[in-house]
């Protein structure tokens, strides 16, 4: 079920540790002890792409990105 | 040798540079960046072809103990100038930016170079950046060269292909790397020499040019020998790797590069009279203080790691500190916009491996470096 077409990135300079992304996509994002996201950067399975897009959209500083390949 | 004592005659100018021919030379010699990251130079240059990049010449010696770029510019400025001219011509650079720390000797060498060499470059200017550790990191230099602050910047695509914030292509190359390009163009071939900065418990610290087959023990002899029995060496820079003396001494520079990475070419000898717990603490504190404070894992992670190291050396806190370090070291690595936190992690992780016995002494209330019982530590 892996599309192999999209994966998560975070701009660490922009990130302000709102923690919202981990709320929207707990399957792929956990927060470190300081509240900053630790991403699973493997390609997203198709079923998670919609949630990943939502997580990216909800980031207050747009630090979370969905990198689309090929 | 070639870079410092017997550079070839200056390159005739104007030169016609076939980019593919230049790239072939660099690939055949497997030239890798001498600024610290050891990235293949041909790959970096090829990625900027046809993009009219800014060419930034990094002569900052960003590692505080390293002085090779300054020595190279003093002894063989023509080689750096020729290398910059060759690469600028090959990639069709729109401007050459000569970068050094404000008020450094390298800055005045570059100012002279600019006055004399201007005609070989499309356009050229000097860029003086603050004396901060991360100000000379490639993305920080690129940002400063484009008129922004000298702070590391996040980019998803390589800067050489236009990955900077405004989409400009910026090709950042270290001064020694460019000098090697000029040597290869002049007909020199691999094995390429290396500039190594020797520091620490040595009779004659300084910058040497040596063959990659030189061993660490030979290097120490070339630097006048040790002033006390060596305990360990720090390789690459403050963000480099520790090796104990017995392991490091017989290794050649090539082997050392494989083992821990040669980084910016530092070889710092820690003598038996110095305490590694204190030395590593001082370096880790320094690296934490030099975070640009932009990325969470770096601005919070490095001070946390520095505290963990201190607690690792004290019996009551050692076990908890060990568990925290095991969790934090991999967590902090690779999560900044630049590689500053990665270097701090490498230095600390190799210190944990190298100085296990000495940490144990401290926990038992002793330290062989100062040959006395530590005050305030319960045995």
């Amino acid at each position: 079920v892996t599309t192999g077409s999209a994966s998560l990135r975070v701009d660490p300079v922009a990130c302000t540790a709102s923690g919202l992304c981990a709320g929207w996509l707990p399957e792929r994002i956990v927060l470190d002890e300081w509240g900053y996201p630790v991403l699973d950067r493997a390609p997203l399975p198709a079923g998670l792409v919609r949630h990943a897009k939502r997580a990216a959209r909800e980031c207050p500083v747009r630090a979370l990105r969905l990198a689309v390949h090929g | 040798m070639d870079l410092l004592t017997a550079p070839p005659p200056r390159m005739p100018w104007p030169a016609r540079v076939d980019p593919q021919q230049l790239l072939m030379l660099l690939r055949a010699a497997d030239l890798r960046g001498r600024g610290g990251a050891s990235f293949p130079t041909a790959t970096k240059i090829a990625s900027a072809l046809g993009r009219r990049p800014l060419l930034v010449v990094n002569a900052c010696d960003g590692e505080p103990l390293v002085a090779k770029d300054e020595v190279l510019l003093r002894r063989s400025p023509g080689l750096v100038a020729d290398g910059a001219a060759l690469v600028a011509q090959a990639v069709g650079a729109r401007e050459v930016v000569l970068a050094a720390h404000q008020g450094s000797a390298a800055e005045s060498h570059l100012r002279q170079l600019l006055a004399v060499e201007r005609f070989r470059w499309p356009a050229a200017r000097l860029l003086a950046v603050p004396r901060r550790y991360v100000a000379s990191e490639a993305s920080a230099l690129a940002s400063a060269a484009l008129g922004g602050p000298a702070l590391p910047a996040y980019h998803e695509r390589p800067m050489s292909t236009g990955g900077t914030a405004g989409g400009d292509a910026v090709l950042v190359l270290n001064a020694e790397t460019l000098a090697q390009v000029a040597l290869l163009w002049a007909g020199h071939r691999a094995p390429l020499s290396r500039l190594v900065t020797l520091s620490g418990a040595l009779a004659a610290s300084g910058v040497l040019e040596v063959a990659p087959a030189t061993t660490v023990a030979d290097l120490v002899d070339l630097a006048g020998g040790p002033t006390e029995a060596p305990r360990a060496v720090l390789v690459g820079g403050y963000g480099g790797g520790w090796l104990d003396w017995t392991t490091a001494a017989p290794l050649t520079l090539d082997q050392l590069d494989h083992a821990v990475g040669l980084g910016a070419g530092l070889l710092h000898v820690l003598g038996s009279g110095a305490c590694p717990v204190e030395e590593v603490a001082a370096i880790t504190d320094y690296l934490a203080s030099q975070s640009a404070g932009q990325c969470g894992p770096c601005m919070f992670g490095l001070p946390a790691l520095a505290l963990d190291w201190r607690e690792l050396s004290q019996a009551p806190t050692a076990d908890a500190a060990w568990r925290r370090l095991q969790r934090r070291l991999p967590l902090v690595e690779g999560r900044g916009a630049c590689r500053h936190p990665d270097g701090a992690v490498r230095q600390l992780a190799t210190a944990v491996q190298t100085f296990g016995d000495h940490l144990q002494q401290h926990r038992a209330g002793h330290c062989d470096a100062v040959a006395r019982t530590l005050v305030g530590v319960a045995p």
Side-chain angles (χ1 to χ4, degrees):
Chain A
V1 239
T2 298
T3 61
S5 65
S7 61
L8 294 166
R9 301 275 185 280
V10 66
D11 174 344
V13 176
C15 178
T16 53
S18 75
L20 293 173
C21 56
W24 286 106
L25 195 63
E27 296 88 346
R28 289 304 178 99
I29 305 175
V30 295
L31 300 180
D32 69 16
E33 60 192 291
W34 307 289
Y36 291 86
V38 183
L39 309 182
D40 182 339
R41 289 166 58 114
L44 285 161
L48 281 181
V49 170
R50 202 163 54 89
H51 298 274
K53 283 182 177 163
R54 182 69 192 264
R57 209 163 53 239
E58 296 288 341
C59 173
V61 290
R62 294 295 163 104
L64 188 71
R65 321 256 165 86
L66 210 55
V68 181
H69 317 286
Chain B
M1 297 293 285
D2 309 314
L3 285 174
L4 297 183
T5 49
R10 290 302 302 275
M11 177 175 77
W13 195 263
R16 191 169 296 161
V17 184
D18 171 13
Q20 295 310 325
Q21 188 192 346
L22 183 68
L23 291 174
M24 214 168 61
L25 278 173
L26 307 187
R27 280 195 199 102
D30 191 29
L31 178 61
R32 285 161 190 269
R34 301 292 173 86
S38 300
F39 189 79
T41 305
T43 307
K44 199 194 251 189
I45 293 176
S47 72
L49 285 179
R51 298 179 191 273
R52 308 245 318 129
L54 288 182
L55 171 61
V56 178
V57 180
N58 187 354
C60 289
D61 281 325
E63 279 290 339
L65 295 176
V66 169
K68 73 184 179 76
D69 297 336
E70 193 273 312
V71 169
L72 176 63
L73 279 173
R74 178 155 44 84
R75 303 265 285 270
S76 307
L79 269 183
V80 180
D82 282 353
L86 280 166
V87 173
Q89 177 103 337
V91 299
R94 67 175 199 261
E95 192 178 21
V96 175
V97 180
L98 306 172
H101 283 304
Q102 275 159 11
S104 66
E107 186 194 1
S108 46
H109 298 321
L110 288 181
R111 187 167 284 121
Q112 278 186 341
L113 209 59
L114 192 60
V116 182
E117 302 284 336
R118 205 182 281 270
F119 75 97
R120 291 172 186 250
W121 297 324
R125 65 187 150 102
L126 193 69
L127 175 69
V129 296
R131 285 176 179 265
R132 281 186 66 91
Y133 190 83
V134 294
S136 61
E137 187 274 334
S139 70
L141 282 185
S143 166
L146 293 168
L151 291 171
Y154 174 71
H155 47 88
E156 291 185 357
R157 283 190 303 134
M159 296 187 296
S160 51
T161 67
T164 57
D168 296 275
V170 183
L171 182 59
V172 183
L173 291 168
N174 171 259
E176 183 191 348
T177 311
L178 287 166
Q180 292 288 4
V181 170
L183 279 184
L184 288 166
W185 188 257
H188 290 236
R189 293 295 174 261
L192 302 173
S193 63
R194 278 207 81 110
L195 295 181
V196 177
T197 307
L198 288 135
S199 82
L202 296 166
S205 295
V207 176
L208 292 174
E209 181 183 8
V210 291
T214 313
T215 65
V216 172
D218 291 341
L219 273 166
V220 166
D221 285 344
L222 288 169
T227 52
E228 54 188 275
R231 181 195 292 276
V233 289
L234 177 61
V235 182
Y238 281 164
W242 288 99
L243 283 175
D244 71 77
W245 174 251
T246 326
T247 308
L251 298 183
T252 67
L253 287 181
D254 272 342
Q255 292 168 329
L256 210 53
D257 201 16
H258 270 277
V260 283
L262 277 180
L266 174 71
L267 204 73
H268 178 75
V269 176
L270 187 72
S272 53
C275 168
V277 167
E278 289 305 318
E279 190 94 357
V280 170
I283 292 172
T284 311
D285 287 349
Y286 170 79
L287 291 175
S289 78
Q290 293 296 305
S291 169
Q294 299 188 113
C295 306
C298 183
M299 74 175 127
F300 295 109
L302 300 197
L305 290 174
L307 185 62
D308 290 343
W309 172 257
R310 288 182 193 283
E311 295 195 344
L312 192 61
S313 69
Q314 292 159 17
T317 49
D319 287 345
W322 173 257
R323 285 193 299 273
R324 281 197 305 273
L325 273 174
Q326 295 308 307
R327 191 184 72 239
R328 283 173 175 165
L329 285 170
L331 193 65
V332 170
E333 187 177 16
R335 291 180 58 223
C338 75
R339 301 270 178 199
H340 181 62
D342 306 12
V345 164
R346 179 166 49 239
Q347 190 265 142
L348 201 53
T350 53
V352 171
Q353 287 164 6
T354 306
F355 300 121
D357 290 350
H358 197 85
L359 285 162
Q360 201 55 49
Q361 285 179 24
H362 275 246
R363 285 177 212 129
H366 181 71
C367 172
D368 65 15
V370 288
R372 62 178 169 80
T373 301
L374 295 168
V375 180
V377 179

